[in-house]
Amino acid sequence: MSTSSTLRCALLAAALSASVPAFATPQQGSGVAWDIVEGITTEIGPRMAGSPAEGRARAWGAEKLKALGFQNVKVEEFKTLAWTRGPESARLTAPYAQPLAITALGFSVPTPKGGLKAEMVYFPTLAALEAVPEGSLKGKVAFIDHAMRAAQDGSGYGPYGNVRRQGPTIASRKGAAAVVIRSAGTDSHRNPHTGVTIFAKDVKPIPAGAVSNPDADLIARTAARGKPLAIDLTLEGKPFPDAPSGNVIADLPGRDPSLPIIVLACHLDSWDLGTGAVDDASGCAIVTAAALAAQKDGQALRTIRVLWSGNEEMGIGGGGGAHYAKLHGSEPHAVAMESDFGADNVWAAKFSASPADKPLVDKVKAALWPMGITPHEGPADGGADVEAIIKAQDLAVIDLGQDGMHYFDLHHTPDDTLDKVDPAALQQNVDAWTAVLKVIANEPGVIGKAGAK
Ligand code: ZN
Ligand code: ZN
């Protein structure tokens, strides 16, 4: 190599090293909402219901809410049935040996010591599994496929999420020794999606896991060859009773404390594979930042309460939302809202209110139109953390629907991390919630279906 070409190489190397940073610069936001998501994901991380980490998250939340100026900050603990993950692995052993990316579903029971080696039967849909006779899968593993696709309103999670919620119970009824499903997710990463399954009381719980979408594609292609499938499955996670969980609640008292309050919910617990940034640290960040921003032009008329709920993920029927209604069901509430669908832009609004609330609903719609957020057919249902209080008091409900095209790419996976939160979209959520709160928290009249009776 000549001296001049050596020099050219050195210059080129210098130019390249100047253009490539030593490490990636993380996406950085600012403001109350960003600080909450960044803080929970950095200082706590994964926080499974009933785990010591969820306890640390409650302490973190209480301290944060006090520091932000909230009053009556309370940690309200309860005991819950929880679940802990164990070692997990799977591989196809016939007709082709292939490793599979798998994760256990919450409330799965462990496979036998040394793993379960069994024939695996492919079902293209939940309906196909339902159609086989009871007892026909004795000693076998059921694999349930499905065709969940991304939808802007996330509505595919209803029908296709049933594969996770109900599939294991149905497989157990058919006699299956274990069940594997295609993840309830819309990404093409090799990330399985966890999430809870609830075994019906009259069935024996069985080991239950989900494989990533590319692995489910592989199983489907292999099944199409028509040769028998076999799997070697290890899932050691198991349930445990009487675990500590709890809610954190905090108020921004209104000018008239006698008026029914507004409750804004999110959930503090998360699955363990990621750090629970979009599900649901973002929700807690959005509602909390908006409650504060709504006071910017002066103290609101009504008290706004935030509920950072415990055990939403595994507490179906008895989690933080139920505990909140048990403790606070006698305090008059006017409106309930919840944020639990990530941090992408709000685009749709839905309402459940009495006919007498129409003028108020029209005011809220008018506040959202300039942001490009349009009213959609109801009903609004709030979410798991406010379901019990809505039922108890027949509350008015407003849903601010976020863009769900990417939510189920990340949901309950290792990809649910801070870098997926777009600071600008997070702020758009805060602005939308603030616009709604400025209207409803300053409404002097009666709000809600119960009040209209
Ligand atoms: Zn959630
Ligand atoms: Zn979740």
Side-chain angles (χ1 to χ4, degrees):
M1 197 181 276
S2 71
T3 311
S4 66
S5 72
T6 307
L7 183 63
R8 272 205 305 279
C9 282
L11 285 172
L12 187 63
L16 278 175
S17 69
S19 66
V20 179
F23 51 85
T25 308
Q27 186 159 240
Q28 189 59 51
S30 61
V32 173
W34 180 265
D35 286 350
I36 291 172
V37 191
E38 197 271 348
I40 293 176
T41 54
T42 306
E43 296 173 27
I44 309 294
R47 44 200 185 279
M48 288 257 273
S51 70
E54 197 200 17
R56 290 196 297 278
R58 285 194 290 283
W60 189 98
E63 199 180 314
K64 185 73 179 176
L65 289 162
K66 279 180 202 156
L68 288 169
F70 281 79
Q71 295 182 26
N72 311 323
V73 179
K74 290 182 198 138
V75 174
E76 299 177 332
E77 295 198 347
F78 57 91
K79 289 276 193 264
T80 194
L81 176 65
W83 180 85
T84 184
R85 191 175 301 285
E88 46 196 24
S89 64
R91 58 195 180 92
L92 269 183
T93 52
Y96 315 117
Q98 292 262 18
L100 299 170
I102 196 163
T103 195
L105 302 180
F107 294 134
S108 169
V109 294
T111 45
K113 221 171 183 318
L116 175 70
K117 295 166 184 65
E119 183 186 336
M120 185 160 76
V121 184
Y122 175 86
F123 294 97
T125 61
L126 190 58
L129 173 67
E130 275 177 312
V132 300
E134 294 215 357
S136 61
L137 294 178
K138 206 164 185 321
K140 296 174 185 171
V141 175
F143 178 82
I144 318 168
D145 208 344
H146 62 85
M148 183 171 172
R149 296 289 177 268
Q152 195 163 9
D153 63 359
S155 56
Y157 191 50
Y160 297 111
N162 279 342
V163 171
R164 190 195 78 216
R165 290 184 284 263
Q166 297 171 11
T169 287
I170 296 165
S172 175
R173 275 209 179 106
K174 307 298 181 183
V179 58
V180 176
I181 65 164
R182 178 189 286 271
S183 285
T186 52
D187 62 308
S188 60
H189 290 181
R190 211 164 179 192
N191 286 332
H193 297 229
T194 190
V196 77
T197 192
I198 306 281
F199 287 99
K201 284 203 170 67
D202 62 330
V203 307
K204 186 175 139 228
I206 55 175
V211 292
S212 76
N213 274 317
D215 288 273
D217 293 344
L218 170 71
I219 291 169
R221 292 197 308 276
T222 308
R225 302 288 202 268
K227 296 173 187 162
L229 302 171
I231 190 169
D232 185 351
L233 182 66
T234 297
L235 298 171
E236 293 187 8
K238 53 177 184 293
F240 63 102
D242 297 326
S245 185
N247 299 331
V248 183
I249 65 165
D251 294 342
L252 292 174
R255 298 198 305 280
D256 184 350
S258 73
L259 285 174
I261 68 168
I262 314 282
V263 63
L264 311 178
C266 62
H267 67 86
L268 193 49
D269 64 313
S270 79
W271 283 102
D272 54 333
L273 303 179
T275 58
V278 302
D279 186 16
D280 181 30
S282 290
C284 292
I286 290 161
V287 303
T288 305
L292 287 164
Q295 321 282 329
K296 224 170 145 197
D297 303 324
Q299 186 186 13
L301 182 63
R302 289 175 193 264
T303 296
I304 301 177
R305 174 173 294 165
V306 295
L307 161 60
W308 291 18
S309 177
N311 194 12
E312 187 273 346
E313 294 291 4
M314 291 189 276
I316 295 167
H323 188 67
Y324 177 79
K326 202 167 111 189
L327 296 192
H328 299 281
S330 61
E331 292 168 45
H333 291 61
V335 183
M337 296 176 68
E338 177 164 340
S339 179
D340 185 16
F341 197 50
D344 282 344
N345 284 337
V346 174
W347 65 286
K350 286 186 185 176
F351 304 88
S352 281
S354 80
D357 291 327
K358 191 178 177 301
L360 177 66
V361 167
D362 286 346
K363 271 192 257 176
V364 174
K365 287 177 183 172
L368 292 171
W369 276 113
M371 304 180 70
I373 299 165
T374 52
H376 285 240
E377 286 292 309
D381 61 7
D385 303 306
V386 285
E387 196 183 326
I389 191 74
I390 290 168
K391 245 188 218 160
Q393 298 195 5
D394 211 0
L395 298 182
V397 186
I398 302 172
D399 285 349
L400 290 180
Q402 292 150 296
D403 181 354
M405 286 307 285
H406 298 293
Y407 184 66
F408 290 106
D409 293 351
L410 311 169
H411 184 246
H412 299 179
T413 75
D415 260 348
D416 182 358
T417 49
L418 181 67
D419 52 298
K420 312 307 184 306
V421 178
D422 172 4
L426 184 71
Q427 189 57 45
Q428 190 264 7
N429 274 265
V430 176
D431 294 345
W433 279 71
T434 304
V436 174
L437 289 175
K438 279 188 169 171
V439 176
I440 62 174
N442 290 303
E443 170 62 39
V446 173
I447 309 177
K449 287 175 271 188
K453 278 173 194 164

mmCIF file of all heavy atoms in Angstrom, residues 280-301:
data_model
loop_
_atom_site.group_PDB
_atom_site.id
_atom_site.type_symbol
_atom_site.label_atom_id
_atom_site.label_comp_id
_atom_site.label_asym_id
_atom_site.label_seq_id
_atom_site.Cartn_x
_atom_site.Cartn_y
_atom_site.Cartn_z
ATOM 1 N N ASP A 280 -48.218 -0.509 31.779
ATOM 2 C CA ASP A 280 -49.040 0.643 31.521
ATOM 3 C C ASP A 280 -48.455 1.860 32.227
ATOM 4 O O ASP A 280 -49.188 2.710 32.731
ATOM 5 C CB ASP A 280 -50.477 0.336 31.982
ATOM 6 C CG ASP A 280 -51.453 1.475 31.735
ATOM 7 O OD1 ASP A 280 -51.246 2.219 30.776
ATOM 8 O OD2 ASP A 280 -52.383 1.641 32.531
ATOM 9 N N ALA A 281 -47.098 1.932 32.294
ATOM 10 C CA ALA A 281 -46.489 3.126 32.898
ATOM 11 C C ALA A 281 -46.938 4.370 32.146
ATOM 12 O O ALA A 281 -47.169 5.428 32.753
ATOM 13 C CB ALA A 281 -44.960 3.005 32.882
ATOM 14 N N SER A 282 -47.112 4.248 30.831
ATOM 15 C CA SER A 282 -47.575 5.392 30.032
ATOM 16 C C SER A 282 -48.950 5.863 30.486
ATOM 17 O O SER A 282 -49.219 7.065 30.546
ATOM 18 C CB SER A 282 -47.642 5.017 28.554
ATOM 19 O OG SER A 282 -46.344 4.862 28.046
ATOM 20 N N GLY A 283 -49.829 4.910 30.793
ATOM 21 C CA GLY A 283 -51.176 5.276 31.253
ATOM 22 C C GLY A 283 -51.118 6.094 32.537
ATOM 23 O O GLY A 283 -51.801 7.124 32.664
ATOM 24 N N CYS A 284 -50.311 5.631 33.490
ATOM 25 C CA CYS A 284 -50.182 6.363 34.761
ATOM 26 C C CYS A 284 -49.589 7.752 34.504
ATOM 27 O O CYS A 284 -49.992 8.744 35.123
ATOM 28 C CB CYS A 284 -49.308 5.581 35.742
ATOM 29 S SG CYS A 284 -50.105 4.041 36.288
ATOM 30 N N ALA A 285 -48.645 7.806 33.579
ATOM 31 C CA ALA A 285 -48.010 9.085 33.250
ATOM 32 C C ALA A 285 -49.025 10.052 32.636
ATOM 33 O O ALA A 285 -49.087 11.230 33.003
ATOM 34 C CB ALA A 285 -46.870 8.828 32.267
ATOM 35 N N ILE A 286 -49.834 9.551 31.712
ATOM 36 C CA ILE A 286 -50.798 10.403 30.993
ATOM 37 C C ILE A 286 -51.844 10.971 31.949
ATOM 38 O O ILE A 286 -52.092 12.174 31.987
ATOM 39 C CB ILE A 286 -51.462 9.594 29.845
ATOM 40 C CG1 ILE A 286 -50.442 9.311 28.740
ATOM 41 C CG2 ILE A 286 -52.687 10.338 29.289
ATOM 42 C CD1 ILE A 286 -50.836 8.165 27.798
ATOM 43 N N VAL A 287 -52.470 10.090 32.755
ATOM 44 C CA VAL A 287 -53.567 10.582 33.609
ATOM 45 C C VAL A 287 -53.036 11.539 34.674
ATOM 46 O O VAL A 287 -53.689 12.541 35.003
ATOM 47 C CB VAL A 287 -54.385 9.424 34.246
ATOM 48 C CG1 VAL A 287 -54.951 8.510 33.164
ATOM 49 C CG2 VAL A 287 -53.605 8.623 35.266
ATOM 50 N N THR A 288 -51.848 11.256 35.180
ATOM 51 C CA THR A 288 -51.302 12.082 36.259
ATOM 52 C C THR A 288 -50.888 13.460 35.736
ATOM 53 O O THR A 288 -51.206 14.491 36.338
ATOM 54 C CB THR A 288 -50.097 11.358 36.901
ATOM 55 O OG1 THR A 288 -50.542 10.067 37.318
ATOM 56 C CG2 THR A 288 -49.544 12.131 38.079
ATOM 57 N N ALA A 289 -50.210 13.468 34.603
ATOM 58 C CA ALA A 289 -49.783 14.747 34.022
ATOM 59 C C ALA A 289 -50.995 15.590 33.627
ATOM 60 O O ALA A 289 -50.993 16.817 33.801
ATOM 61 C CB ALA A 289 -48.890 14.492 32.812
ATOM 62 N N ALA A 290 -52.043 14.932 33.116
ATOM 63 C CA ALA A 290 -53.231 15.681 32.689
ATOM 64 C C ALA A 290 -53.985 16.246 33.892
ATOM 65 O O ALA A 290 -54.487 17.373 33.842
ATOM 66 C CB ALA A 290 -54.145 14.780 31.860
ATOM 67 N N ALA A 291 -54.067 15.461 34.977
ATOM 68 C CA ALA A 291 -54.750 15.957 36.187
ATOM 69 C C ALA A 291 -54.086 17.246 36.665
ATOM 70 O O ALA A 291 -54.762 18.204 37.058
ATOM 71 C CB ALA A 291 -54.716 14.891 37.280
ATOM 72 N N LEU A 292 -52.767 17.283 36.612
ATOM 73 C CA LEU A 292 -52.027 18.485 37.024
ATOM 74 C C LEU A 292 -52.211 19.628 36.023
ATOM 75 O O LEU A 292 -52.445 20.777 36.408
ATOM 76 C CB LEU A 292 -50.528 18.161 37.160
ATOM 77 C CG LEU A 292 -50.146 17.308 38.378
ATOM 78 C CD1 LEU A 292 -48.745 16.742 38.198
ATOM 79 C CD2 LEU A 292 -50.231 18.130 39.665
ATOM 80 N N ALA A 293 -52.126 19.292 34.736
ATOM 81 C CA ALA A 293 -52.222 20.340 33.706
ATOM 82 C C ALA A 293 -53.608 20.994 33.708
ATOM 83 O O ALA A 293 -53.736 22.175 33.371
ATOM 84 C CB ALA A 293 -51.922 19.740 32.334
ATOM 85 N N ALA A 294 -54.621 20.237 34.131
ATOM 86 C CA ALA A 294 -55.987 20.787 34.164
ATOM 87 C C ALA A 294 -56.136 21.872 35.230
ATOM 88 O O ALA A 294 -57.130 22.595 35.239
ATOM 89 C CB ALA A 294 -56.995 19.665 34.392
ATOM 90 N N GLN A 295 -55.169 21.989 36.136
ATOM 91 C CA GLN A 295 -55.230 23.011 37.202
ATOM 92 C C GLN A 295 -54.435 24.259 36.814
ATOM 93 O O GLN A 295 -54.285 25.167 37.625
ATOM 94 C CB GLN A 295 -54.620 22.466 38.510
ATOM 95 C CG GLN A 295 -54.917 21.026 38.836
ATOM 96 C CD GLN A 295 -56.314 20.822 39.405
ATOM 97 O OE1 GLN A 295 -56.855 21.708 40.067
ATOM 98 N NE2 GLN A 295 -56.917 19.677 39.118
ATOM 99 N N LYS A 296 -53.900 24.251 35.629
ATOM 100 C CA LYS A 296 -52.964 25.320 35.254
ATOM 101 C C LYS A 296 -53.590 26.714 35.309
ATOM 102 O O LYS A 296 -52.934 27.674 35.714
ATOM 103 C CB LYS A 296 -52.427 25.038 33.843
ATOM 104 C CG LYS A 296 -50.931 25.263 33.751
ATOM 105 C CD LYS A 296 -50.398 24.753 32.452
ATOM 106 C CE LYS A 296 -49.273 25.637 31.952
ATOM 107 N NZ LYS A 296 -49.044 25.389 30.532
ATOM 108 N N ASP A 297 -54.863 26.800 34.919
ATOM 109 C CA ASP A 297 -55.524 28.113 34.957
ATOM 110 C C ASP A 297 -56.264 28.317 36.269
ATOM 111 O O ASP A 297 -57.141 29.172 36.368
ATOM 112 C CB ASP A 297 -56.515 28.240 33.779
ATOM 113 C CG ASP A 297 -55.817 28.020 32.452
ATOM 114 O OD1 ASP A 297 -54.650 28.433 32.328
ATOM 115 O OD2 ASP A 297 -56.432 27.405 31.547
ATOM 116 N N GLY A 298 -55.953 27.534 37.253
ATOM 117 C CA GLY A 298 -56.615 27.651 38.550
ATOM 118 C C GLY A 298 -57.166 26.308 38.991
ATOM 119 O O GLY A 298 -57.397 25.422 38.164
ATOM 120 N N GLN A 299 -57.394 26.200 40.305
ATOM 121 C CA GLN A 299 -57.879 24.945 40.888
ATOM 122 C C GLN A 299 -59.217 24.549 40.262
ATOM 123 O O GLN A 299 -60.125 25.376 40.136
ATOM 124 C CB GLN A 299 -58.050 25.161 42.397
ATOM 125 C CG GLN A 299 -58.418 23.922 43.170
ATOM 126 C CD GLN A 299 -58.704 24.260 44.638
ATOM 127 O OE1 GLN A 299 -58.852 25.426 45.007
ATOM 128 N NE2 GLN A 299 -58.785 23.230 45.481
ATOM 129 N N ALA A 300 -59.334 23.298 39.872
ATOM 130 C CA ALA A 300 -60.588 22.818 39.262
ATOM 131 C C ALA A 300 -61.700 22.793 40.314
ATOM 132 O O ALA A 300 -61.442 22.755 41.517
ATOM 133 C CB ALA A 300 -60.383 21.433 38.680
ATOM 134 N N LEU A 301 -62.941 22.806 39.841
ATOM 135 C CA LEU A 301 -64.101 22.796 40.737
ATOM 136 C C LEU A 301 -64.224 21.456 41.466
ATOM 137 O O LEU A 301 -64.477 21.402 42.660
ATOM 138 C CB LEU A 301 -65.359 23.070 39.900
ATOM 139 C CG LEU A 301 -66.684 23.149 40.654
ATOM 140 C CD1 LEU A 301 -66.683 24.316 41.640
ATOM 141 C CD2 LEU A 301 -67.843 23.283 39.660
#
